[in-house]
Amino acid sequence: MFLLQLPEDVLYHIMSYLDYRALSRLSQVCKTIYHFANRDAVWKKIAKEFINTGITRQGKDLYPHIPLKDRVKVSQNWYHGICRKEVMLKWRINLLPWIQLDGDVLYLSQAADIGVYHLRPDRGRLQRSPMALFSGHQEDVCRFAVTDTHLVSGGSDGKILVHHRRNGFSVEYSGHNQEVNCLDCRGGLIVSGSRDRTARIWTLSSNFPRCTIPMNDRVWSVAISPTQRCELLCCLGSEFRRGAGVLDIVYESPFHLFTCGYDTFIRSWDLRLSPRKCVMEWEEPHDSALYCIQTDGNHMIASGSSYYGVVRTWDKRQTRCLEMFQLSTAVSSPVYCLRFNTSHLYATLATTLHSLDFRQGPRPRRSHPLPQTAVGI
């Protein structure tokens, strides 16, 4: 009772000496302390130290509506690999699925179609049937990109389709002579790469290529810089071992990008340096090709490997990976694509869509049903 009679500024000062574990335990003492200890002002100091992943990007708070206590908990779960794994969707045949996130909506390509699903993170699953379906390719969709108004897809049939997200109207571009392996769209520009050894630049307003760039080999990955400058800056290097193809490119800023590929490395490039060079490398420990990467714009990188659906998380300030998540043990499949938001990571394998929920730990194994109880966090 004496503790509750103290002025609030004194309580704030006392709680400033506690770490996040002690604060969590203190909040279970009674309802009054629970409500006081959950205030953002109490967690502000701890949040500055412990929030590393998915919450702040380049100094900007992206989720002001989420209490700081919950954000610290989720951040620590990310850092220590504490999550609940769920299989959200299955299909019977092997595919090369691609996904994109847009808020609480997930876009998923399956064969020649792209389905639009509403996410239900609280249940760890998608809605039963897609809200919308985009189709038009004669063969499988290889890549697609989502903008505010359009969905642009490239397929094994060599076609590029531009779908209007609201009315579903589609326009077919003349495309490539062979399959479109990669594609990106930003600010009205479309860049595509193909097995026919060319990269092409398009605009949303015209279905004829604005520019065709001959390449020396198949094009596996493309990305448009945030500055959208159409000029050859440099070659990022050619002194790599044979077969070191780049499978994914991610721009984090106009001057900073990440690559990964067959040679098992994630590389960070600084385009402000002259000559442009790799400033950091992270090597996949099991010598597996890396099919996809994503960054949070802060400290974390997530990568998908070529065997048994292995997803790894990395801290840019360290050289070794933080955690490894093996999504498949029975079937060896690459992680073809992964995306994450504040609390969830989604990854696609050949026959499944998986989610990792970092708001809570794994489901306990029970030999018999137990009564549900309320537990304070």
Side-chain angles (χ1 to χ4, degrees):
M1 293 299 297
F2 176 74
L3 184 66
L4 298 178
Q5 293 172 359
L6 293 174
E8 287 193 353
D9 56 341
V10 177
L11 280 176
Y12 281 128
H13 184 70
I14 293 173
M15 292 185 180
S16 68
Y17 290 95
L18 303 180
D19 60 15
Y20 71 95
R21 292 187 183 91
L23 269 179
S24 298
R25 291 166 184 161
L26 180 64
S27 67
Q28 300 179 48
V29 171
C30 66
K31 289 184 179 180
T32 304
I33 293 182
Y34 173 82
H35 291 298
F36 187 89
N38 280 1
R39 295 183 183 181
D40 281 0
V42 175
W43 288 86
K44 198 169 185 179
K45 179 180 177 182
I46 297 175
K48 290 181 179 180
E49 179 182 357
F50 284 100
I51 291 180
N52 297 310
T53 303
I55 301 296
T56 59
R57 181 171 292 131
Q58 297 176 356
K60 182 180 179 182
D61 192 346
L62 299 180
Y63 304 96
H65 60 284
I66 302 177
L68 280 181
K69 176 187 175 182
D70 294 338
R71 288 191 267 178
V72 170
K73 175 187 174 183
V74 172
S75 178
Q76 289 303 290
N77 287 348
W78 272 100
Y79 194 83
H80 297 292
I82 302 172
C83 66
R84 178 173 294 177
K85 299 179 184 179
E86 299 282 354
V87 177
M88 303 185 72
L89 197 64
K90 293 183 179 181
W91 47 91
R92 294 184 178 181
I93 59 175
N94 288 342
L95 302 174
L96 280 75
W98 193 257
I99 55 174
Q100 293 287 1
L101 284 178
D102 184 15
D104 60 352
V105 175
L106 183 140
Y107 292 78
L108 168 66
S109 65
Q110 293 176 279
D113 301 320
I114 302 172
V116 185
Y117 295 87
H118 179 68
L119 288 169
R120 296 176 176 175
D122 54 329
R123 300 184 183 179
R125 62 187 65 179
L126 300 176
Q127 64 181 43
R128 182 167 297 181
S129 57
M131 298 185 296
L133 196 67
F134 296 94
S135 57
H137 288 280
Q138 302 301 316
E139 298 181 31
D140 290 0
V141 174
C142 296
R143 291 287 188 275
F144 65 88
V146 179
T147 69
D148 293 338
T149 56
H150 294 82
L151 186 150
V152 184
S153 60
S156 298
D157 54 7
K159 296 180 181 179
I160 295 174
L161 296 180
V162 177
H163 311 270
H164 198 284
R165 288 177 57 180
R166 293 185 178 179
N167 57 29
F169 181 74
S170 301
V171 177
E172 180 181 323
Y173 284 32
S174 53
H176 292 263
N177 298 328
Q178 298 183 42
E179 65 185 61
V180 180
N181 293 321
C182 50
L183 181 144
D184 195 13
C185 182
R186 185 194 293 265
L189 285 179
I190 303 171
V191 175
S192 60
S194 171
R195 186 180 287 270
D196 65 8
R197 301 188 176 190
T198 64
R200 293 187 177 181
I201 300 175
W202 320 71
T203 62
L204 288 174
S205 58
S206 174
N207 60 353
F208 291 97
R210 175 177 170 181
C211 179
T212 299
I213 306 171
M215 309 298 288
N216 297 324
D217 203 346
R218 293 169 292 180
V219 183
W220 287 110
S221 55
V222 295
I224 300 177
S225 166
T227 61
Q228 302 173 34
R229 296 169 60 187
C230 295
E231 60 176 315
L232 178 62
L233 290 176
C234 62
C235 175
L236 293 180
S238 58
E239 297 179 359
F240 303 113
R241 68 188 188 188
R242 185 174 179 84
V246 175
L247 295 178
D248 201 8
I249 302 175
V250 174
Y251 268 99
E252 200 169 68
S253 73
F255 309 105
H256 195 196
L257 61 86
F258 291 83
T259 62
C260 71
Y262 282 119
D263 69 347
T264 76
F265 279 91
I266 300 171
R267 289 187 171 90
S268 172
W269 304 85
D270 192 336
L271 303 183
R272 294 168 296 186
L273 301 178
S274 182
R276 279 80 177 181
K277 66 177 183 178
C278 173
V279 294
M280 190 69 180
E281 291 181 340
W282 299 267
E283 185 176 9
E284 213 285 333
H286 292 164
D287 201 33
S288 299
L290 297 174
Y291 274 59
C292 53
I293 52 173
Q294 191 187 1
T295 75
D296 69 342
N298 193 18
H299 297 307
M300 200 196 78
I301 307 172
S303 64
S305 302
S306 57
Y307 297 113
Y308 293 102
V310 172
V311 172
R312 295 184 186 274
T313 55
W314 311 75
D315 189 324
K316 297 175 188 175
R317 299 163 295 185
Q318 304 177 20
T319 55
R320 300 180 63 181
C321 77
L322 290 176
E323 296 293 336
M324 184 196 81
F325 308 93
Q326 188 172 350
L327 304 181
S328 174
T329 56
V331 179
S332 181
S333 167
V335 179
Y336 288 109
C337 186
L338 61 82
R339 295 289 183 266
F340 61 79
N341 54 26
T342 305
S343 57
H344 289 74
L345 185 147
Y346 304 95
T348 55
L349 277 61
T351 58
T352 48
L353 169 66
H354 295 257
S355 76
L356 303 179
D357 185 351
F358 290 91
R359 298 173 306 174
Q360 50 196 329
R363 296 183 186 276
R365 294 184 178 180
R366 296 173 179 172
S367 57
H368 58 276
L370 295 177
Q372 295 183 352
T373 57
V375 179
I377 300 177

